Each structure stands twice: as C-alpha cells, then as structure tokens.
Amino acid sequence: MKASHVVRFITCTVGLVLVAAGCTETNTETIFVDRPLFDDPPAAASGFLGYGTADAQAEGFTVCGNCHIGKQSEWELTHHADAWNTLQNSGHAQPFCEGCHAVSENGNAAEGDVGWVATADTRYYDVQCESCHGPGSGHVSNPGAAQPLASIAVDLDLTSGCGECHQGSHHGFVDEWLQSRHGPIESNAGARDRGGSCASCHEARGALLALGETAPFVEKDGVANLPIVCSVCHDPHNATNEHQLRFPVDVPDVNNNLCMKCHQRRAVPEVDNSRGPHSPQGPLLLGEDVGWIPPNFNTNIVRGTHGSAQNEKLCVTCHLHARDITDPVSGDFVFSSKGHLFKPIPCLDPQGVPVGTDCDVSERSFASCTGAGCHGDETVARSLYLVSTGRIAAAVADLAAQLAQVPATEFDTEDGILTVAEGATFNQKLGEITSSAIHNPFLTEALLLGSMVAVENEYGIAPRILPSEMAARWSEIGR
C-alpha cells in the first residue's frame, strides 16, 4: 500500500532593486512513498496476511494491528503471540504440530491448506488474529463490506474453533470439556431462552453479555443455544488474568471471582420461593451470606480450609486439577489431563484417564485433594469425604424427620413471611446438595444442627438426635 501527496510550492523572486520585486507561482508535484503496511502475500496463502513484512514479524506486529492497535497490544501479551517459539523451544517439536503454532486453517472457517501450511512462509509464525478470524485480505481491501468475525462455537467433532488445536492427548482441554456439564450435553438440555434469567449462566451469549462482553462474533445473532464454550471463561485477546481468564479465580469475592459469577445463585432463602438453593457453592465455600441463619445462631464457627487463605486458587484447586497420566506398567505417557471435566474427584478409565461418567466413590480419583498439599494421600482424602458426607446425610435425615411433624400451614410461601420451618427446609435442601459436605462441611453441619434447635424451640418438636450427641457434634465442629 502506498500513499502519494501533492505539495504546492510558491516561489518568490526578489530583485536587487527594491521597486523591482515580484512573485511567480510554480506547481511542483512531489511524491512521498510511505512504508508499505504489508508485502503482498503468496497466492497459496488464500488471502491470509500474517505479519506482512520481515520487520513487522521481528516486532511481532500483525497486519491487522496496523488498524486494530488496541487488540494488537493485548494480543502481544498472550501465549498465542509466541506460539511458534514455544513449540521450537519445547524439545519435542514435530512438523504435525506446526499448524497449531502458526496461522493456518486451524481455528477458523478456511478449508484446505492455507497460511503456513500452504507456504511455509515465516510471516505466518504464531497464532495471530487470522487464526481465529480467518483471512484478512478482503477486509483490508474493503473494510466496510467484509467483516471477518470469529466463531465461538466448538463442534462435537472438534473441527472448528478452539477445539481444532486444544485437543488430543497433550492438549485435551476440549476433549474433557465435551464430557463436562459446561459442555453440550448439559448446557443445552431444555433450550434456554437467550433473554431469560437462566441464560446468563446456561447459554454462551447470555453469559458473555452478563460478563460485560459486547464484541461481535459469528453466532451472536443466531437462534441456536450455545453451551458454555471456551470464550465464555477465556478472553481470546486479553492476558490480564492468568490463562486469559475474564476474571481472576484467586479472589475470595463472589462478585469478582470468575467461577462464582454463576455459582452463587439462591444461596439464601427467598420468602416467595420454596425451591431451595440453586448454585450456592461460592458463598458456601467462603462461608458468607449462605443458608438460613437460625435465631441466636453464632455465625463465628470454624470454616473449612477449602475456602480459606490456605487454598489460594479456591474452586480451581480441586475442580481444575491438571496432571499427566502415565501407564502404571511401562511408565509411558498416556494423557495430559487439564481438569476441564470440572470434576474434583472424577472416575477413571482403564488407563487412569479422568472421564465424565459416574462410578462408586471407591473408584474415584482423589488426586486433586493431594496435589495442592492439602491432604496427605488419596486414602485420607477419601476417608474424610466419606465421614463428612455421612455425617451431613444423617443430619439432613434427622432434620427432615423433625420437619415432617410441623403443621403444613408453616410452609406457606405466598404470605411473604419466612417461617422457621421454611428456613430450616432451605438448610435441609442445602445439605442435600452432595458438594455441600465438601465445600464447607463445618458450616453445613452447623446450619443443620442449628435448624433442629430452632424447630424444637419454635414448635416443640424434639429432634431424633439425643442431647448428648448434639452437644458432641457441636464440639466437634468447633463451637
């Protein structure tokens, strides 16, 4: 691209004699040649521009960055911007890896060999803008007419978007995500209305909007529901937070912690709603603003270490536990688990790879409980899990038996009054959520025991648990 400028000069001639002075106008055309923004790409590249020039490549400056300077400056800080060197310095670079560490047909809608794969031109090093947005030549030629939007969808066959590269035994992010409850199986169950209150956590476009993302993408105006795809949690352009997350995960604040943006719903009872807690995990983990607080209940109780300062990464420590799996006999590498099943104690396949299926607790892996140095070994962690879930299940049953004797009139959710029976029922349902015994076993059990006391005081219905046993349990949980 070149720009020319016509400059008009005025030439004045001054005579030696003062009275003989005059000016004449002369037209002079001077051509200034600006630095070309990019060299013409090879024809085989199919319209992909890449870095554009040798100097731009050395500076890590994409052709797109000439106009989109803000996105360029953000992208420069991501691992994508140094993807080629990362591969070469890994010690196990192979030609078949290169398509995911350079601009190619991977990650966008292009088909066939393009970019680096078609040309082996170094201008296509790294995962640049076009890796997700597609070829930029049409947009550069006519910016208003051609908008190369990126897609956020992740196909089930892993043939588009993030899944084209972030898959396989070494990079199994999407392989695991497909089996998770963030993936298509659960997220699209019972189509969610994009504008409904559920959409902000159960549908990608609604979630992105709730997180403050307004940029356009291919599916933004579509009608099909999208599961919670990669770009909901990860910002493709911004590396402010670790792993390009949209919000930090190490902040003990339900309003600013990424996971807790969704996992904090209906953590306390609502006077006109008898459905109980919905996703109270964040507040429960932190021990704040969760459950029904019985009268005279001392909230200054011992809190579980899962939500304390000892666990800096909070939810991520257990739910995104990453580790390499090797064959127990040969020691050969099998799979690099990235924790994107989001299951803290997953079941394992015959090779020891975490899977999304269900199994008995004796067959589950408790490796996430030991990897952060929290528990000594998996056997200890499993034992603590069984003890916690057993105690809380017993307390739930005791409270349920007590509430069964309360008059039905005490469960009227339409009168705008939260009764002791309704509050205690909320705590019962909180205890019935299996994960409550893990996120904060001490607080969960205390709320259940406190509810039993409140029901007895309000309605004269004694719990099945003996006073001596009640006192012993209070003592054991630190009250």
Side-chain angles (χ1 to χ4, degrees):
M1 295 180 66
K2 299 181 180 180
S4 63
H5 307 277
V6 177
V7 181
R8 185 178 298 278
F9 287 88
I10 304 298
T11 304
C12 294
T13 303
V14 181
L16 294 177
V17 180
L18 292 179
V19 295
C23 295
T24 60
E25 182 176 294
T26 304
N27 290 331
T28 303
E29 186 177 75
T30 304
I31 304 297
F32 293 92
V33 180
D34 293 339
R35 176 182 65 84
L37 297 181
F38 60 89
D39 297 330
D40 291 336
S46 300
F48 284 78
L49 303 174
Y51 281 123
T53 66
D55 289 342
Q57 178 186 328
E59 297 168 0
F61 204 88
T62 66
V63 170
C64 304
N66 285 295
C67 290
H68 301 282
I69 188 65
K71 294 301 181 185
Q72 164 74 32
S73 61
E74 292 177 346
W75 169 83
E76 287 177 354
L77 301 177
T78 71
H79 289 303
H80 281 167
D82 196 38
W84 184 264
N85 285 334
T86 298
L87 173 63
Q88 303 310 315
N89 296 332
S90 67
H92 48 73
Q94 298 289 336
F96 61 80
C97 302
E98 294 175 353
C100 281
H101 289 259
V103 178
S104 71
E105 63 277 10
N106 291 330
N108 55 74
E111 297 182 2
D113 294 346
V114 303
W116 165 260
V117 177
T119 68
D121 193 317
T122 59
R123 69 190 290 163
Y124 300 110
Y125 281 174
D126 303 324
V127 179
Q128 302 177 36
C129 315
E130 293 169 296
S131 295
C132 299
H133 288 267
S137 58
H139 179 56
V140 170
S141 301
N142 192 347
Q147 296 293 329
L149 299 179
S151 168
I152 67 169
V154 181
D155 289 344
L156 298 181
D157 57 3
L158 307 181
T159 58
S160 70
C162 308
E164 288 196 83
C165 286
H166 296 276
Q167 62 163 295
S169 59
H170 285 276
H171 307 281
F173 296 95
V174 178
D175 305 70
E176 294 182 320
W177 171 84
L178 283 169
Q179 304 174 62
S180 79
R181 298 185 68 180
H182 284 171
I185 296 175
E186 291 290 340
S187 296
N188 275 339
R192 301 292 185 184
D193 186 316
R194 183 180 176 189
S197 60
C198 300
S200 62
C201 287
H202 288 270
E203 204 274 338
R205 290 166 299 187
L208 285 168
L209 190 61
L211 293 173
E213 180 58 79
T214 59
F217 48 89
V218 171
E219 299 83 6
K220 188 170 186 179
D221 297 320
V223 294
N225 287 295
L226 292 173
I228 302 305
V229 295
C230 314
S231 60
V232 170
C233 296
H234 300 273
D235 189 328
H237 303 107
N238 199 318
T240 299
N241 298 309
E242 188 177 17
H243 305 301
Q244 293 180 231
L245 294 171
R246 292 187 180 276
F247 285 85
V249 293
D250 57 354
V251 176
D253 180 351
V254 294
N255 295 314
N256 292 303
N257 183 291
L258 177 64
C259 305
M260 296 179 196
K261 286 286 183 177
C262 281
H263 294 278
Q264 59 149 308
R265 306 304 172 94
R266 214 161 56 237
V268 296
E270 301 170 355
V271 294
D272 58 350
N273 189 336
S274 61
R275 289 180 292 172
H278 181 52
S279 54
Q281 293 84 6
L284 184 61
L285 184 73
L286 300 179
E288 302 172 355
D289 300 321
V290 63
W292 173 70
I293 306 302
N296 303 314
F297 183 82
N298 179 12
T299 58
N300 185 25
I301 64 173
V302 176
R303 185 176 67 190
T305 56
H306 291 169
S308 72
Q310 291 176 269
N311 180 22
E312 295 181 358
K313 292 299 181 69
L314 299 169
C315 316
V316 168
T317 299
C318 300
H319 285 270
L320 280 144
H321 176 62
R323 63 191 178 98
D324 287 344
I325 289 88
T326 56
D327 186 280
V329 178
S330 66
D332 294 338
F333 170 83
V334 175
F335 186 79
S336 182
S337 174
K338 304 302 181 181
H340 278 58
L341 290 172
F342 304 102
K343 288 180 175 289
I345 49 172
C347 301
L348 306 176
D349 72 4
Q351 289 186 294
V353 177
V355 291
T357 54
D358 290 325
C359 60
D360 185 76
V361 66
S362 63
E363 301 172 11
R364 292 182 176 273
S365 168
F366 282 76
S368 68
C369 305
T370 64
C374 298
H375 300 292
D377 57 47
E378 292 193 52
T379 301
V380 170
R382 183 179 289 104
S383 298
L384 290 171
Y385 171 84
L386 292 171
V387 169
S388 295
T389 53
R391 285 174 62 114
I392 289 174
V396 165
D398 288 339
L399 178 57
Q402 197 180 11
L403 287 169
Q405 303 176 61
V406 175
T409 54
E410 291 297 303
F411 298 92
D412 181 6
T413 58
E414 297 180 358
D415 59 6
I417 300 173
L418 185 67
T419 65
V420 168
E422 291 167 346
T425 300
F426 186 91
N427 286 347
Q428 175 194 326
K429 292 179 178 179
L430 180 67
E432 289 172 351
I433 299 174
T434 304
S435 62
S436 295
I438 305 302
H439 287 120
N440 202 328
F442 302 118
L443 177 55
T444 301
E445 187 173 8
L447 288 171
L448 292 167
L449 296 176
S451 296
M452 294 183 208
V453 174
V455 170
E456 181 177 18
N457 292 340
E458 182 72 12
Y459 306 110
I461 302 171
R464 297 186 305 189
I465 184 173
L466 297 174
S468 59
E469 185 179 354
M470 175 78 80
R473 288 200 181 184
W474 279 125
S475 176
E476 289 172 0
I477 60 178
R479 293 204 53 199

